[in-house]
Amino acid sequence: MKNSRVSRFIVALVACIVVGGAGFLIFWNVNAEEVMPEVDQAKLLESNKTWIKTNTSLTMEPNLVIPIKGNNTVTTIASNGDLILDTTNRAVLAKMATVNVKYKDMNRFRVRVFANKVSTVMNPAAFQYTHDNIDGFLTSYSITKGTLDKSAGPAMKLQTRAKEQTLKVNEKLETVYSSGLAEKVAPMLDIDPEVSGQYLEDSFNLTSGEVVTAYPRELHYQFSTEKTSLAFFKSDSDEEITQPVGLEYVIKK
């Protein structure tokens, strides 16, 4: 009789654990599948216009900052919120050439940044990794330290349609993860792993003889990730995410 009661107690306990675990997994899966709220387009446009109003410089590389206002420089916010800078300012172009050889002999520079990444690209403050996230049954992940580099990737071949002297660009820029773990923790960096890439559409005029080379503007995250299982077992790994946020055009004759 006593053994029968103990057996029933053990069965009930196991059933509670199973049901509780299943409920937790269902709750986590529902939360994980929730669609990230979209930023209000009007607020995004106004926010991006603020960078021009405050005359914030654009950091191209760690030792290269260019003004967004000045002679022969036009910086605008497109109707979809993208930031566009286009300059033929000789002083600016000469300064750029001294920093990176790819800008040598350039007679015009243009860059376009995705609307939802303008704030990250323009913000001069150091990036802080301070987010924690529960991601899985009895498993948690945290980003403990890292750096963010804002620069350009290697030259790419443009998919373009030329009509007279108008260049029309339509490119899908892909995000690259160093591993599955990097992709798993990407939401902590405001990167949606469900979105593998983003299309950039652009159109601008060229003069006769101008040649365009395009480079993807990128956010290069390098960071350490700590994984904790069952609240006791810890492991660390170094990860990277490269997220294109726009295109820069080096234009030469």
Side-chain angles (χ1 to χ4, degrees), residues 98-116:
T98 63
V99 174
N100 195 316
V101 67
K102 74 180 181 184
Y103 299 128
K104 188 177 179 181
D105 300 324
M106 179 173 61
N107 66 290
R108 179 182 173 192
F109 177 78
R110 178 183 175 91
V111 62
R112 182 162 183 153
V113 179
F114 288 131
N116 61 342

Side-chain angles (χ1 to χ4, degrees), residues 28 133 135-136 139 141 177 179-188 193 241:
W28 176 80
N133 185 47
D135 188 20
T139 303
Y141 300 90
Y177 303 92
S179 70
L181 178 57
E183 189 171 0
K184 185 181 290 290
V185 301
M188 285 189 269
I241 300 176

Side-chain angles (χ1 to χ4, degrees), residues 137-158:
F137 184 52
L138 299 180
T139 303
S140 66
Y141 300 90
S142 62
I143 295 177
T144 57
K145 60 181 179 180
T147 59
L148 172 60
D149 178 42
K150 307 172 186 180
S151 58
M156 57 185 288
K157 186 176 181 180
L158 282 174

Side-chain angles (χ1 to χ4, degrees), residues 16-146:
C16 289
I17 293 173
V18 171
V19 171
F24 180 87
L25 286 174
I26 292 172
F27 174 78
W28 176 80
N29 284 329
V30 169
N31 281 329
E33 293 172 2
E34 286 182 353
V35 178
M36 296 176 68
E38 293 184 4
V39 178
D40 182 86
Q41 188 66 22
K43 291 182 179 179
L44 188 62
L45 279 165
E46 288 305 311
S47 174
N48 290 346
K49 288 177 182 178
T50 300
W51 296 109
I52 299 177
K53 292 177 182 177
T54 55
N55 197 20
T56 305
S57 296
L58 176 61
T59 301
M60 304 302 299
E61 295 183 17
N63 56 343
L64 177 58
V65 177
I66 62 175
I68 61 175
K69 291 183 180 180
N71 295 332
N72 302 313
T73 299
V74 178
T75 305
T76 57
I77 300 300
S79 59
N80 68 344
D82 287 1
L83 182 142
I84 304 171
L85 180 148
D86 203 319
T87 184
T88 57
N89 185 296
R90 290 180 179 274
V92 171
L93 301 182
K95 178 182 177 182
M96 295 176 72
T98 63
V99 174
N100 195 316
V101 67
K102 74 180 181 184
Y103 299 128
K104 188 177 179 181
D105 300 324
M106 179 173 61
N107 66 290
R108 179 182 173 192
F109 177 78
R110 178 183 175 91
V111 62
R112 182 162 183 153
V113 179
F114 288 131
N116 61 342
K117 290 300 176 181
V118 171
S119 179
T120 304
V121 171
M122 297 293 290
N123 195 331
F127 195 81
Q128 299 293 321
Y129 293 84
T130 58
H131 301 281
D132 289 336
N133 185 47
I134 300 298
D135 188 20
F137 184 52
L138 299 180
T139 303
S140 66
Y141 300 90
S142 62
I143 295 177
T144 57
K145 60 181 179 180

Side-chain angles (χ1 to χ4, degrees), residues 1 3-4 57 78 84 94 97 117 195 210 216 226-227 233 248:
M1 185 75 172
N3 289 337
S4 176
S57 296
I84 304 171
K117 290 300 176 181
V195 181
E210 286 186 326
E226 182 179 83
K227 176 182 177 181
F233 305 104
E248 68 172 51

